[in-house]
Amino acid sequence: MKKILYKNKIILAIVLLAFILRMYHLGTLPPSLTWDEVAWGYNGYSLGSDLRDEFGELLPVQYIESFGDFKPPVYAYLTAVSQKVMGLNEFSVRFPSALAGTLTVLLTYFLIKRIIPDKKNVRILHFEINISLLTAFILAISPWHILLSRAAFEANVATSFIVLGVYLFFVSIEGKRIFLIFSVLSFILSAYTFNTARIVAPVLLLALCIGHYKTLLLRKKHVAMAFVIGFIITFPLLLFMKSPQAKLRYQEVNIFSDIGIIERVNQQHINNNEALWSRVIQNRRLAYGAEYVRHYFDNLTPSFLFIKGDGNPKFSIQDVGQMYLWEIPLFIGGILLLFKKRSGSWWIIPIWILIGIAPAATARESLHALRIETIIPLFQFFTAYGMIYFLSYIQNVVKNKKIIAFVFVSVVLVITANFIFFIHNYFFHYAREFSGEWQYGYKEVVHFTESVKGNYQNIFFTEKMGRPYIYVLFYGKYDPKVFRKNAIVEREALGFVAVKKFDKYIFTKDPGQYANEKGKNLFVDMPLNIPSDANVKERIKLLNGQDAFIIYEK
């Protein structure tokens, strides 16, 4: 009993640590909401207002339309709930992701206990730990997971649903049959949350079913119930997947629509005088296959995982990899140990990783920490597995207690130093260095223009920095009904949508072209586009002191 209480205290302490790391200054770090985050926020606000999304769709199930993209809707509903409690602000928009990230740490503890029933314990500085506790701890302090939990990334919520789905599946296999239905529901929720999960969730569930088909054959009633309920709930999504809207985003970003690869193959044929061997070896199918394989393994490079991380500062602070440098030998050791010991349901871990990376490899932009987040917390498990056996080996081989204590203290100090380096950089330097990457300045612009718009006939707002209309809606707290009624919205044949005007705001690529417009007008533009005779009213600066926007009269 004492041992159980002790472990409960440890996991609660780990979860509390995860909660603090994900919630502390959540509204101001990252330093600004990206346009995707703001879109989630305003759509949540709109749903909470009259049960319709930004463009008037009643209780959308298949998708939320956003900037011509058609996103799974769950995050908008979660945001609607958090805003009812906390109001329309940055914290409430990011809260669902931060909470999901914290819960994933707790779920990881229970999941690893189910998958790997390894009883090996190690005592470090009066703390007795095992693989599941250590995995949860490493995930709690993971740079990868912390950064993705601190922004309104729907992928982070989908990952939580997938981890929950796998855990509930194992619970059902071990005797509590009704949990199979809840497992299926959790996988389905992940598919309604993030596009990548629409591939990962069903394939991973199928792999689990194949691996445990003998047990499932003995539980036909619960399998049938789970299948029927799952099919009914998934049916709207299946219909949507056949629509042009569902294909739009994929066609835009996948490598198989990259005409450059075909042009390169054709040039190779010309260079080889259209030789038969060239047509056989250098063909577009092999070229696309090679490109896919290259993109797949890009996600496993040491630079990405341990040194620099994702090149996008939204997913990495650039000074630390997606994982810590000290994890390298333990990570490799953990992989080798998994295949050597083959304990419990070990096989699902490599299969999960293979499935989790596969969709991301189809994208033109490789090395994408967000698109492969569904493999969390498996990489952290490898590190924990390697560490447990390394420390256990030291305890068993080295008899000198002072040497053992020295090794243990050294391990703790290395981990602590690396963690402090990451946390210090993130909380004290990151915002100033990368505020521009987070579209910083829109909030300040909107607060200024809203305070003075009564003095002007029109406000011309540049679109060159992104999608300004959604910031005006969010920070101006515009009534969704009024916006839908009065906005001028343009839709292109391919499905892209652009809001061109509402209220006094006119959104354009070149505000300067309206310099001679009649009446008293206000202009919001980039610093390089400001005319020499402009009457500057306000300069909006990034946190590093550079100008982000100039607001002027003409």
Side-chain angles (χ1 to χ4, degrees):
M1 186 67 180
K2 287 183 178 179
K3 196 170 184 179
I4 294 175
L5 290 174
Y6 171 81
K7 287 185 178 179
N8 287 343
K9 289 180 180 179
I10 294 296
I11 188 58
L12 286 175
I14 291 171
V15 172
L16 178 61
L17 173 64
F19 181 83
I20 293 170
L21 291 173
R22 286 152 182 78
M23 295 290 180
Y24 180 68
H25 282 308
L26 183 64
T28 56
L29 187 65
S32 177
L33 295 179
T34 65
W35 52 66
D36 284 323
E37 290 183 284
V38 175
W40 285 126
Y42 190 74
N43 274 282
Y45 179 66
S46 183
L47 287 168
S49 173
D50 62 357
L51 304 181
R52 295 179 183 272
D53 70 5
E54 175 186 343
F55 294 108
E57 182 71 21
L58 179 63
L59 292 174
V61 173
Q62 294 179 320
Y63 62 83
I64 293 285
E65 186 178 11
S66 180
F67 315 130
D69 195 4
F70 300 88
K71 299 179 178 180
V74 165
Y75 199 93
Y77 286 103
L78 295 176
T79 306
V81 174
S82 64
Q83 287 174 357
K84 284 295 183 182
V85 178
M86 307 172 196
L88 183 61
N89 54 59
E90 293 91 344
F91 188 93
S92 66
V93 172
R94 289 171 172 167
F95 179 78
S97 178
L99 180 61
T102 303
L103 293 176
T104 302
V105 172
L106 178 61
L107 289 169
T108 294
Y109 167 72
F110 293 111
L111 174 65
I112 299 303
K113 285 180 68 175
R114 298 280 179 174
I115 295 179
I116 307 291
D118 197 320
K119 303 300 182 182
K120 186 173 287 295
N121 294 332
V122 171
R123 194 171 186 82
I124 302 179
L125 301 177
H126 306 293
F127 293 103
E128 189 173 292
I129 60 173
N130 56 32
I131 294 168
S132 54
L133 280 170
L134 192 53
T135 304
F137 172 73
I138 294 172
L139 183 61
I141 64 170
S142 163
W144 192 348
H145 199 237
I146 290 173
L147 262 66
L148 296 191
S149 298
R150 290 185 60 88
F153 292 132
E154 65 273 28
N156 196 54
V157 177
T159 297
S160 187
F161 282 132
I162 288 175
V163 173
L164 177 60
V166 177
Y167 168 69
L168 292 175
F169 184 90
F170 280 106
V171 171
S172 72
I173 291 298
E174 293 173 11
K176 297 180 180 179
R177 302 181 181 188
I178 193 67
F179 280 83
L180 180 62
I181 296 172
F182 296 111
S183 172
V184 170
L185 290 175
S186 189
F187 279 113
I188 292 171
L189 277 172
S190 73
Y192 276 102
T193 305
F194 187 54
N195 285 321
T196 299
R198 292 173 173 176
I199 299 172
V200 174
V203 178
L204 182 56
L205 179 57
L206 178 62
L208 287 166
C209 291
I210 293 172
H212 294 276
Y213 75 95
K214 292 182 180 179
T215 303
L216 294 176
L217 286 174
L218 300 175
R219 302 173 181 179
K220 295 183 178 65
K221 176 183 175 182
H222 290 87
V223 171
M225 290 173 59
F227 177 81
V228 171
I229 293 172
F231 180 78
I232 292 171
I233 298 174
T234 310
F235 189 69
L237 179 59
L238 295 175
L239 291 177
F240 172 68
M241 295 297 287
K242 297 176 66 176
S243 69
Q245 292 93 333
K247 299 173 184 177
L248 179 65
R249 180 64 173 169
Y250 176 74
Q251 291 170 346
E252 182 185 352
V253 302
N254 83 91
I255 58 173
F256 304 112
S257 60
D258 184 0
I259 194 68
I261 293 176
I262 296 177
E263 291 174 347
R264 187 171 71 242
V265 169
N266 290 338
Q267 185 60 49
Q268 288 172 337
H269 293 168
I270 294 172
N271 295 342
N272 294 305
N273 299 317
E274 302 292 340
L276 178 61
W277 67 264
S278 179
R279 288 186 168 277
V280 172
I281 297 175
Q282 296 168 324
N283 66 75
R284 62 177 181 173
R285 293 170 185 83
L286 289 177
Y288 280 125
E291 192 73 2
Y292 178 84
V293 171
R294 183 179 69 81
H295 281 215
Y296 192 99
F297 286 100
D298 278 348
N299 293 288
L300 301 174
T301 58
S303 176
F304 171 71
L305 291 177
F306 303 108
I307 301 172
K308 296 291 291 184
D310 195 304
N312 187 336
K314 294 188 184 73
F315 313 136
S316 165
I317 67 170
Q318 307 300 295
D319 294 322
V320 176
Q322 302 306 131
M323 303 166 69
Y324 292 109
L325 199 59
W326 58 264
E327 294 186 67
I328 294 177
L330 303 173
F331 177 79
I332 296 171
I335 294 173
L336 297 176
L337 282 166
L338 181 72
F339 284 94
K340 178 183 178 181
K341 294 187 174 295
R342 298 191 291 276
S343 176
S345 298
W346 69 277
W347 51 270
I348 194 59
I349 293 176
I351 289 175
W352 188 341
I353 291 173
L354 288 171
I355 295 169
I357 298 177
T362 65
R364 297 185 193 183
E365 183 185 2
S366 62
L367 286 176
H368 204 295
L370 191 68
R371 292 193 184 119
I372 66 168
E373 196 201 351
T374 51
I375 63 175
I376 286 180
L378 307 179
F379 281 14
Q380 285 72 29
F381 160 76
F382 286 139
T383 301
Y385 209 19
M387 180 178 286
I388 282 288
Y389 275 87
F390 167 71
L391 295 175
S392 177
Y393 175 81
I394 295 296
Q395 283 184 328
N396 294 332
V397 173
V398 180
K399 302 305 179 182
N400 189 312
K401 292 184 177 180
K402 290 184 178 179
I403 295 178
I404 293 174
F406 174 78
V407 172
F408 285 174
V409 170
S410 298
V411 169
V412 172
L413 288 177
V414 168
I415 293 173
T416 302
N418 218 173
F419 172 67
I420 290 175
F421 177 80
F422 163 68
I423 288 298
H424 175 78
N425 273 272
Y426 183 68
F427 282 100
F428 293 95
H429 302 290
Y430 178 82
R432 178 179 174 82
E433 189 173 354
F434 296 112
S435 62
E437 300 290 338
W438 289 90
Q439 286 83 58
Y440 187 87
Y442 279 106
K443 176 181 178 179
E444 292 71 18
V445 168
V446 174
H447 283 174
F448 181 84
T449 57
E450 284 292 292
S451 69
V452 301
K453 72 177 183 181
N455 302 327
Y456 298 94
Q457 192 168 341
N458 297 296
I459 301 173
F460 295 96
F461 205 142
T462 181
E463 292 180 308
K464 286 188 177 180
M465 295 288 286
R467 312 176 192 275
Y469 86 89
I470 197 68
Y471 287 94
V472 177
L473 291 175
F474 183 89
Y475 287 111
K477 297 185 179 180
Y478 274 75
D479 186 333
K481 299 188 191 70
V482 175
F483 165 69
R484 297 186 208 114
K485 181 180 179 180
N486 299 326
I488 296 176
V489 181
E490 293 181 359
R491 283 183 168 80
E492 299 177 8
L494 294 176
F496 294 101
V497 62
V499 175
K500 305 308 293 183
K501 185 181 188 304
F502 70 87
D503 196 10
K504 293 186 176 183
Y505 292 89
I506 296 173
F507 305 100
T508 174
K509 294 291 185 183
D510 182 17
Q513 67 179 311
Y514 297 97
N516 297 321
E517 193 80 6
K518 292 181 180 181
K520 188 178 182 182
N521 300 310
L522 192 67
F523 298 82
V524 181
D525 209 343
M526 300 168 61
L528 293 176
N529 297 335
I530 308 304
S532 58
D533 58 344
N535 177 18
V536 175
K537 307 299 292 184
E538 189 76 10
R539 293 181 180 271
I540 306 299
K541 296 182 179 294
L542 299 175
L543 294 178
N544 62 6
Q546 295 179 355
D547 286 333
F549 295 99
I550 306 294
I551 305 174
Y552 68 94
E553 292 178 0
K554 185 71 171 66

